[in-house]
Amino acid sequence: MKQSTKMQQEMNQVEKLIGVILQIGVIISAIIIGVGLLALLITGKSGYPAGSFPTHFGAIFRGIAQFKPYAIIMLGLFALILTPVLRVVVSIYAFFKERDLLYVVITTIVLIILIFGMAIGYLGK
C-alpha cells in the first residue's frame, strides 16, 4: 500500500473520530441537561435562591451531589462547552500524526486561546 494512501486512510479515520466525538458530546450534554430540566419540572425548584445558580466547579459538583436541578443543567452546559475543545485537542493529534507542523502550531495556539478565554470567564465572575 502506498504511503499516501495509508496516510489518507488514517486521516479519514481521524475525521470520523472527530465527528463521533462531537456527536457523543452533544448527546451526553443534551441528556444531562434533560435530566436537570426534568428534575426542575418534577420538583418545581431550582435548588437555589431566586436569581442565583452555581457558576464554579465546586458549587456545581456540590449541587449535583445534592441533586439540585440547576447544578445538573450547568454540568450539561459545561459538557457542551468542552465538546469543541476536545475536538481541537483531537485535531492537534491528527495534524501531528500527519506531520503538518504548521497546523499543529496553529491549532495549539487556538487551544491556548480557548483555555485562556475559559479561564478569564471563570475568574471574571
Side-chain angles (χ1 to χ4, degrees), residues 9-116:
Q9 287 177 340
E10 287 177 7
M11 290 313 299
N12 288 341
Q13 289 175 342
V14 170
E15 288 174 10
K16 287 179 185 178
L17 175 64
I18 289 171
V20 169
I21 287 170
L22 291 173
Q23 289 174 346
I24 290 173
V26 169
I27 290 169
I28 289 172
S29 299
I31 290 170
I32 294 170
I33 292 169
V35 168
L37 288 173
L38 186 63
L40 181 63
L41 289 173
I42 290 171
T43 64
K45 298 177 183 176
S46 69
Y48 295 92
S52 69
F53 51 88
T55 57
H56 289 47
F57 298 121
I60 291 171
F61 292 119
R62 281 191 302 276
I64 290 169
Q66 299 168 354
F67 202 71
K68 293 183 177 183
Y70 272 16
I72 297 169
I73 293 168
M74 291 299 289
L75 177 66
L77 292 173
F78 180 67
L80 187 63
I81 290 169
L82 283 183
T83 300
V85 175
L86 183 57
R87 186 231 189 272
V88 171
V89 170
V90 173
S91 294
I92 291 171
Y93 169 76
F95 291 133
F96 180 78
K97 187 102 169 132
E98 196 176 86
R99 294 189 176 115
D100 193 341
L101 296 181
L102 176 62
Y103 280 104
V104 169
V105 170
I106 291 170
T107 312
T108 301
I109 291 169
V110 168
L111 179 62
I112 291 168
I113 292 169
L114 284 170
I115 292 171
F116 187 69

